[in-house]
């Protein structure tokens, strides 16, 4: 048997994230002892109507969320226990709501920092109704082999190590949440484990005190001894001593109390839990508590470390007197399925990756580009073109190459509102479309006729140079196999009205001490084509392409330089329209040549 | 529990109808001089000037001056402001009207498990402490307010007679109203005096402890809480408090000058058992510290830096029970970063580190600690199989 929580305990959790985490822990325990999840509902008004998916074994259980406790118990009348994970400022209201629900018999409050007055009101209200209000600041309640309320017991491995899958003979009552697992563990190593362990919370006035729980343990035949982990402050330990000393008790009482260090600290210096405050005249000190407990006949080891051996001694006596038998351990226990990550770490599974990347990794504390941490690149003076080099061509380009890329980007960032890309973005912006979609509207214009000739220009110039073609051979080859030469020709610019961007870029690159076979070849091509027709000049796409091939960028990445640069302009156009609060535009009729058939009658449908 | 200095404490009492002397709290003589022009009572009455700080034995330190005229009060203020007492610098002085009186009484309200208790005595000042049996009590359950009859009965029991029965009953009633409405944990007025001028009961000195957890429903608590142990918080302590107020979970740090055993344990419960073990072993605590509730690693790192910076330490106890949900790897990560930083700053020379811990991801966390040995730390690491406080025994073995 156990007290407070057992196989018939069904739970509603009031609160948000912390409550969901607790439910996960509770599901692990339910899985260990092979019972279905005992959390039937959540109450959290902002998410009412939805569900929380709680992992159970390798599956998921959907637990509904309600607006009120009454709704939860109406749909799940088996609910008899509530766990309160609501913030301190609203905890009392939530606790009252649970206490006032006729289905609910036990309310355990996990919230810390609840005003003392509120805790007292909740405690008094529960007593009046004959219910249990546990906490505030409770770590939870666990009955071995039957029920876990809250995160008490810790991780799954600890549940197994502490033998919480089956009953023992020791009850535990502790103010400290952090020490609850320690005591449970000690009981399982030095004796046969626990029946029920209760965290009553470290506040000055917990809703339910040691005595109430001692009475319950006294009436639970499975519990043979109770361990109390006390703290200085208040008088709960003294009251427990009084209870124990009042008459012969069936259960053995064992206790430790902390706070002896207080005696050798500067006056008035206190620490530990909220309740750990000494009374005015030495009452509530660790010594007065431990003396009272000893006087009542309880076993009080001198230190926390001596608690294990004391529990062992008590257990051996129980064994000898035949009151308890050595426990039988189950042949096997369910293993908690591992997450893929954990199983991979333990070399237990092999996974075929879905994608493969060779350029970047942000799993550490910052992104690495081709292995170089971004911050180190910044600190060592590298710039955006270097990042382009690393991510597009997996190499750290030189200062000179970076300067060329920078200039290319500056020259092609924008070309006014009339070109296809900008116009697409502007029309979208005027239609009230968002930034990324409007920019995408402009970007999809980039193709064979607008901006997208860089890659092809590069490919063919490179082909010519690699195959040592003469200009004539090249032009013949193009005419025969592909058509017009990409990168040659401009709609408005011509020999007499040259493109300044081309002049600028060619001038700069030629001034550098680098070899530029593609660019040289492209300029030779221009000499021939421009003679044939005035506007068949080397355009900016062709120039960029030749230069980029010359400095080693792969042909397939070349359009990227135009896309990247022009994105700057497209964003500019979107922001510009937005700033002006531009209105929806449509094409004027006079800009359309209506060449469709004149209006005519629709023939009858056949 | 949160202690409130006299000024704001009297302010709260005044709010609930309790007579208090006129008073002003000033931070400079100029301020007092200006207030003197606006408040006639300062010029007309005899005055008391006290250092308005969380200091014990102010009388002995000469930080209480009585029976002053305004000029003398200005002189006293000038003298007190800026005075250094231990770690505290006096920054405020409270100047109040001196109430001439003959009899002194006592009244307090304190929190009990069931609700509260009203205490009344017909003696006051130091007399009440030596005659504690003369203090009479009225116990109240939570949610229950004292009736006028019950208060008069209490007043009579305490030995008040004649018109004072009703006056004391009313005074105690207002004290209860203040206690109950202001989420107080302890209110004490000693002495309560009869004002010679009009025969009304007046609160001459106030001890006010409020429930800091209830601050969210008291927007008019516009005062800072005072340190509770007779000294101001140090800069290091304040820095940890600032971190604590920002995070999920908590980190706590209090310095204890002169100690040589530094504490860096987890959990509000275990941390005190660790401190007990140090004292039981004859060690001298250099601090109290605690991290709990799965705090972020950076907060634990800040705490670790403070612990490593304590002067004259020989051992650091990184203790902890088997955690429920505090991630051992993550929190230890913060501690390890703190240790590394301290070492790189030349700290931790000759300091032995002792670790014991269990909980979620304990193996990985403890392995990470063990690995510090290779970096030249003097560190010993134990798992759940070593009883909680045994590392203290090992550390302090002679």
């Amino acid at each position: 048997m156990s007290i407070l929580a057992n196989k018939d305990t069904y739970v509603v959790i009031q609160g948000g994230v912390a409550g969901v985490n607790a439910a996960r822990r509770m599901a692990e325990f339910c899985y260990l002892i092979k019972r279905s999840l005992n959390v039937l509902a959540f109450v959290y008004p902002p998410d009412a109507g939805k569900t929380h998916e709680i992992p159970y074994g390798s599956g998921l259980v959907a637990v509904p969320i309600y607006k009120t406790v009454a709704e939860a118990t109406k749909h799940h009348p088996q609910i008899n226990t509530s766990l309160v994970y609501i913030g301190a400022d609203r905890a009392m209201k939530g606790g009252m709501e649970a206490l006032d629900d006729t289905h609910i018999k036990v309310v355990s409050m996990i919230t810390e920092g609840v005003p003392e007055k509120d805790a007292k009101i909740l405690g008094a209200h529960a007593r009046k109704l004959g219910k249990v209000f546990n906490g505030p600041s409770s770590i939870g309640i666990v009955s071995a082999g039957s029920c876990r309320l809250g995160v008490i017991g810790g991780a799954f491995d600890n549940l197994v190590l502490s033998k919480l899958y089956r009953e023992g003979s020791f009850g535990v009552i502790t103010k400290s949440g952090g020490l609850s697992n320690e005591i449970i563990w000690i009981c399982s190593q030095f004796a046969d484990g626990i029946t029920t362990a209760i965290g009553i919370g470290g506040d000055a006035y917990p809703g339910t005190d040691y005595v109430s729980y001692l009475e319950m343990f006294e009436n639970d035949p499975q519990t043979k001894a109770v361990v109390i982990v006390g703290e200085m402050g208040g008088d709960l330990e003294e009251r427990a001593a009084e209870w124990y000393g009042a008459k012969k008790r069936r259960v053995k009482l064992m206790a430790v109390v902390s706070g002896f260090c207080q005696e050798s600290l500067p006056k008035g210096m206190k620490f530990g839990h909220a309740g750990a405050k000494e009374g005015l005249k030495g009452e509530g000190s660790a010594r007065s508590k431990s003396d009272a407990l000893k006087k009542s006949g309880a076993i009080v080891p001198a230190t926390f470390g001596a608690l294990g051996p004391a529990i062992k001694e008590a257990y051996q006596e129980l064994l000898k007197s035949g009151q308890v038998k050595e426990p039988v351990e189950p042949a096997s226990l369910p293993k908690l399925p591992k997450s893929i990550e954990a199983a991979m770490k333990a070399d237990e599974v092999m996974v075929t990756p879905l994608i493969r990347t060779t350029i970047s990794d942000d799993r550490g504390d910052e992104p690495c580009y081709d292995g170089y941490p971004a911050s180190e690149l910044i600190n060592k003076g590298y710039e955006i073109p270097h990042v382009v080099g690393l991510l597009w061509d997996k190499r750290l380009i030189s200062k000179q190459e970076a300067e060329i890329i920078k200039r290319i980007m500056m020259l092609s960032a924008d070309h006014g509102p009339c070109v296809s890309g900008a116009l697409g973005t502007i029309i979208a912006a005027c239609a009230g479309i968002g930034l990324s979609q409007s920019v995408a509207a402009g970007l999809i214009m980039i193709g064979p006729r607008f901006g997208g000739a860089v890659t092809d220009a590069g490919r063919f110039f490179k082909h010519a140079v690699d195959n040592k073609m003469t200009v004539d051979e090249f032009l013949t080859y193009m005419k025969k196999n592909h058509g017009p030469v990409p990168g040659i020709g401009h709609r408005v610019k011509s020999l007499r009205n040259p493109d300044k961007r081309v002049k600028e870029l060619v001038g700069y690159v030629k001034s550098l001490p680098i070899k530029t076979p593609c660019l040289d070849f492209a300029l030779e091509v221009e000499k021939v084509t421009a003679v044939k027709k005035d506007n068949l000049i080397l355009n900016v796409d062709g120039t960029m392409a030749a230069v980029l091939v010359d400095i080693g960028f792969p042909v397939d990445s070349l359009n990227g330089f135009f896309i990247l640069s022009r994105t700057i302009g497209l964003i500019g156009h979107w922001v510009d329209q937005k700033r002006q609060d531009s209105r929806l535009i449509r094409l004027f009729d006079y800009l359309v040549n209506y060449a469709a058939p004149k209006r005519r009658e629709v023939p009858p449908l056949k | 529990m949160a202690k409130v200095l006299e000024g704001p404490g009297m302010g709260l009492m005044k709010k609930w109808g309790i007579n208090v002397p006129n008073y002003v709290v000033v931070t400079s003589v100029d301020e007092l001089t200006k207030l003197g022009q606006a408040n006639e009572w300062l010029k007309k009455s005899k005055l008391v000037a006290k250092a308005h700080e969380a200091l014990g034995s102010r009388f002995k330190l000469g930080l209480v001056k009585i029976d002053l005229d305004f000029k003398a009060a200005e002189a006293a203020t000038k003298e007190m402001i800026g005075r250094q007492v231990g770690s505290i610098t006096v920054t405020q002085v409270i100047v109040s009207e001196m109430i001439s009186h003959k009899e002194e009484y006592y009244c307090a309200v304190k929190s009990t498990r069931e609700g509260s208790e009203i205490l009344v005595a017909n003696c006051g000042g130091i007399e009440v402490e030596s005659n504690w049996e003369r203090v009479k009590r009225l116990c109240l359950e939570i949610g229950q307010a004292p009736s006028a009859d019950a208060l008069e009965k209490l007043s009579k029991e305490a030995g008040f007679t004649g018109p004072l029965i009703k006056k004391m009953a009313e005074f105690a009633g207002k004290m209860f109203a203040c206690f109950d409405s202001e989420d107080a944990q302890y209110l004490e007025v000693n002495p309560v005096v009869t004002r010679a001028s009009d025969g009304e009961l007046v609160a001459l000195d106030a001890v006010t402890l409020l429930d800091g957890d209830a601050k969210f429903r008291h927007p008019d608590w516009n005062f800072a809480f005072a340190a509770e142990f007779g000294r101001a918080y140090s800069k290091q302590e304040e820095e940890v408090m600032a971190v604590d107020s920002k995070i999920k979970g908590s980190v706590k740090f209090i310095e204890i000058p002169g100690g040589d055993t530094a504490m860096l344990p987890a959990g509000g419960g275990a941390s005190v058992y660790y401190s007990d073990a140090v004292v039981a072993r004859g060690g001298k605590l250099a601090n109290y510290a605690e991290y709990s509730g799965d705090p972020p690693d950076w907060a634990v790192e800040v705490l670790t830096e403070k612990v490593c910076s304590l002067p004259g330490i020989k051992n650091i106890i990184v203790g902890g029970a088997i955690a429920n949900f505090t991630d051992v790897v993550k929190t230890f990560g913060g501690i390890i970063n703190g240790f590394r930083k301290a070492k790189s700053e030349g700290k931790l020379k000759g300091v032995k580190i002792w670790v014991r811990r269990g909980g979620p991801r304990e193996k990985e966390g403890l392995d990470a600690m063990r690995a510090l040995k290779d970096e030249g730390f003097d560190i010993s690491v134990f798992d759940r199989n070593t009883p909680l406080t045994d590392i203290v025994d090992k550390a302090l073995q002679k």
Side-chain angles (χ1 to χ4, degrees), chain B residues 96-391:
Chain B
S96 55
E97 181 188 6
M98 197 163 144
I99 306 283
S100 61
H101 62 276
K102 284 191 190 116
E103 300 296 321
E104 297 193 331
Y105 316 116
Y106 174 89
C107 184
V109 187
K110 70 182 231 191
S111 185
T112 65
R113 177 160 166 67
E114 285 70 28
S116 56
E117 212 172 47
I118 304 177
L119 288 73
V120 169
N122 78 336
C123 55
I126 45 168
E127 209 185 332
V128 72
E129 277 163 39
S130 45
N131 294 288
W132 199 245
E133 74 288 346
R134 284 172 68 184
V135 176
K136 300 298 165 197
R137 294 149 194 267
L138 173 61
C139 294
L140 296 162
E141 289 197 4
I142 189 73
Q144 185 195 359
S147 69
D149 285 353
L151 287 168
E152 283 190 24
K153 196 169 150 249
L154 174 69
S155 183
K156 267 186 226 165
E157 269 172 22
F160 288 93
T161 55
L164 266 179
I165 298 176
K166 202 160 180 208
K167 278 190 176 157
M168 195 62 209
E170 278 172 9
F171 187 91
K174 287 173 190 167
M175 285 277 284
F176 176 83
C178 178
F179 174 91
D180 192 47
S181 314
E182 296 294 338
D183 275 295
Q185 290 172 324
Y186 188 66
L187 282 188
E188 184 188 71
V189 175
N190 187 22
V192 183
V193 302
T194 309
R195 186 157 56 195
S197 60
D198 59 0
E200 290 301 318
L201 292 181
V202 179
L204 268 206
D205 203 356
V207 177
T208 310
L209 297 181
L210 301 178
D211 183 353
D213 286 334
K215 194 171 194 303
F216 66 83
R217 59 184 172 216
H218 295 282
D220 64 337
W221 287 3
N222 55 359
F223 37 80
F225 295 133
E228 278 172 55
F229 38 87
R231 66 160 172 85
Y233 291 116
S234 70
K235 191 170 154 270
Q236 311 288 333
E237 288 167 350
E238 273 175 353
E239 282 173 23
V240 176
M241 282 160 76
V243 170
D244 187 50
S245 67
K246 268 183 255 169
I247 57 165
K248 167 184 86 81
S250 73
V251 288
K252 297 204 161 72
F253 181 70
I254 296 171
E255 291 174 48
I256 307 172
D260 57 10
T261 307
M263 308 301 287
L264 187 49
S271 60
V272 184
Y273 278 102
Y274 274 106
S275 303
D276 282 359
V278 170
V279 172
R281 269 273 164 187
K284 287 191 82 180
L285 294 167
N287 71 306
Y288 172 78
E290 157 201 341
Y291 64 92
S292 56
D294 203 22
D297 50 359
W298 63 266
V300 184
E301 185 178 331
V302 172
L303 179 65
T304 305
E305 283 171 44
K306 305 294 175 205
V307 170
C308 293
S309 306
L310 289 163
I313 54 172
K314 294 187 183 130
N315 292 291
I316 299 179
I317 307 294
V318 186
I322 300 166
N324 286 292
F325 62 97
T326 295
D327 185 311
V328 177
V329 175
K330 200 182 70 182
T331 46
F332 271 15
I335 293 179
I336 289 169
N337 286 344
F339 280 161
R340 284 188 180 136
K341 205 162 165 193
K343 191 158 176 270
S344 74
E345 288 164 1
K347 293 167 191 158
L348 295 181
K349 277 194 186 117
V351 175
K352 290 186 162 64
I353 301 167
W354 303 85
V355 181
R356 189 273 185 190
R357 186 68 161 145
R361 301 212 283 161
E362 60 189 42
K363 197 181 162 299
E364 285 170 86
L366 292 167
D367 284 347
M369 279 286 185
R370 264 183 215 110
L372 285 183
K373 228 180 256 177
D374 304 334
E375 295 176 30
F377 287 91
D378 186 347
I379 188 167
S380 309
V381 181
F382 301 88
D383 64 12
R384 59 164 73 208
N385 291 304
T386 298
L388 192 77
T389 54
D390 279 19
I391 53 167

Side-chain angles (χ1 to χ4, degrees), chain A residues 363-394:
Chain A
R363 288 171 299 173
D365 52 359
E366 66 170 318
C368 287
Y369 305 139
D370 200 37
Y372 301 115
S375 65
E376 208 177 321
L377 289 168
I378 292 169
N379 293 332
K380 294 191 173 162
Y382 289 92
E383 295 181 46
I384 278 284
H386 295 97
V387 176
V388 170
L390 286 171
L391 293 178
W392 295 11
D393 198 24
K394 291 170 59 58

